[in-house]
Amino acid sequence: MAPSFRTGDVVIIDPDIEPHPGEFVVAENDDHEATFKKYRPVSFDAQGEQVFELVPLNTDYAFRYPAYPCYWHHG
């Protein structure tokens, strides 16, 4: 069964733990707002850094591949 999240749920995020495929993450968008997404690695770049997608949890929103690579940064 897939996890479900509802308005008012509390999630605990440890920013020092690198996510694994399929886990849920909080990320900062271009407007400096927090967004809750599913983490999906897709490839590695020329420097060997993992490139990933942040997948919306709400299926009403169309998913688009990122126009630029996403990289994980912690702390």
Side-chain angles (χ1 to χ4, degrees):
M1 177 190 286
S4 64
F5 301 96
R6 298 188 180 117
T7 301
D9 283 356
V10 174
V11 295
I12 298 171
I13 304 294
D14 185 340
D16 293 325
I17 297 176
E18 188 168 350
H20 293 102
E23 290 185 336
F24 300 95
V25 299
V26 172
E28 183 178 326
N29 65 22
D30 292 335
D31 295 325
H32 305 286
E33 300 169 326
T35 182
F36 190 55
K37 306 282 186 187
K38 187 174 186 177
Y39 173 81
R40 182 187 297 161
V42 293
S43 66
F44 291 90
D45 68 9
Q47 290 76 36
E49 295 287 327
Q50 190 167 59
V51 179
F52 60 88
E53 318 173 312
L54 297 175
V55 181
L57 302 183
N58 186 338
T59 57
D60 290 339
Y61 288 93
F63 174 71
R64 298 178 305 177
Y65 287 95
Y68 52 88
C70 297
Y71 298 96
W72 179 75
H73 299 283
H74 69 284

